[in-house]
Amino acid sequence: MKLQAVRGTRDILPDEVGAWHAIEKAARELFARYGYREIRTPIFEPTELFARGIGAETDIVSKEMYTFEDRDGGSLTLRPEATAGVVRAVIEHNLANTDPSLKLYALGPMFRRERPQKGRYRQFHQVDVEAFGFTSPTIDAEVIELALGYLDACGVTRHELVLNSVGDRHCRPAYVETLRAALRERAAGLCGDCQRRAETNPLRVLDCKVPQDQPLIDALPRIGDHLCAECRDHFAEVQRQLALLGIPYRLSHRLVRGLDYYVRTTFEVTSDQLGSQSSVLGGGRYDGLVKELGGPDLAGIGFAVGLERLTLLLPARGPEARCDVFLLPLAAGALDHALTLQRALRGAGLRALLDPEGRSFKSRMKQADRLGARFAAILGDDEIARGVWSVRDMAGSTQQDVPRDGVLDYLKEKANG
Ligand code: HAM
């Protein structure tokens, strides 16, 4: 049997990794400007954390988690998202005590057993941002600004911000009942999934993509008409500040998100370049979650970007240069000079390489080209006799003799200049 990566997982190959480094670097640089610090939490957590945090009725918890029994009988789960683990860590280490306005970000793999397709994997990566202790709508607008700023910093230009308010514990329960009642009347016309959700989690019906269901769903009662005064004011202020910041958005009463912890502001960023998995980023406010998981009554808001989907949106990158100086010891006895020079170049911070297999001059020059070498340093019989290295500038195709004892300084200066 041929061994292969597990379905829904993928290798990020060396040629792709430059793009990943770039988006990780962009995250670290931009998030620091907004006051966020990195946190790294474990990849597995007690199953109960996700069941309580994300919601037992959600698709994620009810059918997509990688859950296994530990040897001592405890139930563990590979994290399907980052928020629950970050909240657990905030509670466990009392992070909000020392920092009442706590801004954290996390990077890493997440696991969901979804049906694999373009942009949808069973192991995927997120950049995740969470802010704790802020109740004012100003942080909602700032987090959204940061989310879009991050996509911009990565070079993603074509996207749309979709915005909604899903109410809070004061107004949402009554809306959910209104929705349930409306769904009961129309259930017969809806798909099987919707009929089930109408009872278990009526909000999820709004997320249905089945074409025949759309006219019925569009006619359902809308959350925007059922918000309490506080939620309405909060949402109006978020929108006012987004307008102030010049951030365009589209309102969608059907944006309910797949996790139960959200209250008030929810948002997604979609791209028409992604196919059916069009959401590259999703987030929202989750006041109440920290308390629900046993911590203080602390507001929360954040978002996560799917990095596989983000990389699909990036402009193609050419191959990266991987070498500053490629050494070609050709003459007998040249290898020893080359090895000491290579070590010295590396010590000076340059990327120096040579071919220890002694292939032909032509094939070594080809290799230097493939590596994107800026300089080739050649040591043949003639150079040995004259006490020089012949240094070729690969881009300019010019070649120069450099005395052996000055070659290190010469290359250092040229490569850094
Ligand atoms: P989410 O919408 O479930 O939110 O996921 C955020 C992003 O992760 C999605 O927009 C998508 O780009 C990516 N993603 C999700 N599932 C997959 C998959 N199977 N394959 C590839 N990419 C995927 C959350 O996870 C929340 N924790 C976000 C959040 C943080 N809300 C508040 N704070």
Side-chain angles (χ1 to χ4, degrees):
M1 193 185 68
K2 198 163 110 200
L3 286 173
Q4 284 186 323
V6 173
R7 190 165 128 82
T9 69
R10 61 189 286 277
D11 302 303
I12 300 168
L13 298 174
D15 278 346
E16 299 168 71
V17 115
W20 286 77
H21 287 165
I23 57 183
E24 288 161 9
K25 184 161 170 265
R28 294 181 197 290
E29 282 177 7
L30 184 67
F31 297 166
R33 278 191 242 161
Y34 284 75
Y36 287 82
R37 293 193 301 159
E38 185 175 355
I39 183 166
R40 301 185 186 194
T41 64
I43 280 171
F44 55 88
E45 298 270 4
T47 303
E48 189 195 347
L49 171 67
F50 302 115
R52 278 173 52 194
I54 300 171
E57 294 298 337
T58 59
D59 282 354
I60 295 179
V61 171
S62 66
K63 53 188 189 197
E64 293 169 1
M65 295 208 304
Y66 283 97
T67 295
F68 56 97
E69 193 182 314
D70 200 2
R71 286 175 186 230
D72 63 8
S75 180
L76 301 177
T77 292
L78 300 183
R79 62 181 183 193
E81 55 110 52
T83 312
V86 172
V87 169
R88 183 211 35 77
V90 167
I91 298 170
E92 189 169 333
H93 305 285
N94 294 317
L95 295 184
N97 279 4
T98 46
D99 194 351
S101 44
L102 182 66
K103 290 174 157 184
L104 302 170
Y105 73 88
L107 287 167
M110 310 293 154
F111 306 84
R112 296 183 194 175
R113 201 176 190 293
E114 296 190 78
R115 195 168 50 76
Q117 64 181 83
K118 182 186 168 195
R120 189 160 74 190
Y121 300 96
R122 290 178 171 177
Q123 173 173 332
F124 59 98
H125 296 77
Q126 286 184 344
V127 156
D128 180 86
V129 165
E130 312 289 357
F132 297 93
F134 299 87
T135 52
S136 123
T138 300
I139 194 74
D140 303 42
E142 186 190 273
V143 162
I144 291 171
E145 177 196 51
L146 175 60
L148 294 173
Y150 177 55
L151 296 181
D152 280 350
C154 292
V156 178
T157 44
R158 253 174 55 194
H159 49 65
E160 183 180 46
L161 169 64
V162 187
L163 193 64
N164 191 20
S165 172
V166 293
D168 65 5
R169 64 193 162 85
H170 302 294
C171 52
R172 190 168 46 206
Y175 168 69
V176 170
E177 281 321 306
T178 308
L179 189 61
R180 204 190 302 269
L183 282 167
R184 278 197 188 118
E185 284 168 26
R186 298 171 173 83
L190 292 168
C191 69
D193 269 350
C194 281
Q195 294 190 14
R196 190 173 45 76
R197 287 182 187 136
E199 290 307 320
T200 58
N201 197 351
L203 283 174
R204 299 296 304 157
V205 171
L206 300 176
D207 216 20
C208 169
K209 303 276 178 336
V210 175
Q212 298 85 301
D213 287 11
Q214 301 309 306
L216 272 179
I217 294 173
D218 277 331
L220 289 168
R222 299 180 170 206
I223 180 84
D225 300 327
H226 294 79
L227 294 178
C228 60
E230 289 76 13
C231 285
R232 214 174 324 125
D233 290 350
H234 186 97
F235 196 39
E237 182 59 12
V238 174
Q239 292 180 64
R240 195 190 68 77
Q241 292 195 21
L242 288 177
L244 175 79
L245 299 172
I247 295 173
Y249 55 87
R250 176 170 67 81
L251 291 177
S252 169
H253 68 279
R254 290 184 54 177
L255 178 70
V256 286
R257 313 264 307 121
L259 306 99
D260 280 353
Y261 48 60
Y262 291 112
V263 295
R264 297 195 169 170
T265 315
T266 53
F267 55 93
E268 276 186 16
V269 177
T270 59
S271 165
D272 57 8
Q273 291 161 283
L274 283 173
S276 65
Q277 298 308 310
S278 64
S279 157
V280 64
L281 175 161
R285 190 170 262 288
Y286 50 85
D287 305 346
L289 178 62
V290 180
K291 192 161 180 224
E292 173 70 34
L293 292 177
D297 192 1
L298 204 59
I301 181 168
F303 67 85
V305 186
L307 298 191
E308 281 75 8
R309 294 187 195 171
L310 178 59
T311 56
L312 287 173
L313 297 175
L314 300 181
R317 297 161 68 95
E320 278 171 47
R322 287 148 55 191
C323 178
D324 297 307
V325 183
F326 193 82
L327 299 165
L328 290 91
L330 302 174
L335 181 65
D336 291 4
H337 291 293
L339 289 174
T340 50
L341 178 57
Q342 175 174 251
R343 179 169 161 79
L345 288 166
R346 287 173 175 169
L350 298 185
R351 297 170 301 176
L353 294 168
L354 58 74
D355 165 33
E357 305 301 315
R359 293 187 181 85
S360 73
F361 176 74
K362 208 171 131 195
S363 88
R364 284 195 237 183
M365 283 307 280
K366 254 200 206 143
Q367 198 182 344
D369 244 350
R370 248 200 327 270
L371 293 168
R374 293 167 64 198
F375 300 97
I378 301 159
L379 194 58
D381 289 323
D382 175 49
E383 285 86 1
I384 295 258
R386 290 188 293 118
V388 298
W389 280 86
S390 183
V391 176
R392 183 180 294 191
D393 179 330
M394 298 291 281
S397 293
T398 52
Q399 198 153 315
Q400 188 169 342
D401 284 346
V402 182
R404 215 146 60 205
D405 57 4
V407 73
L408 175 63
D409 288 337
Y410 176 87
L411 285 168
K412 265 169 35 185
E413 197 190 312
K414 283 279 185 185
N416 294 323

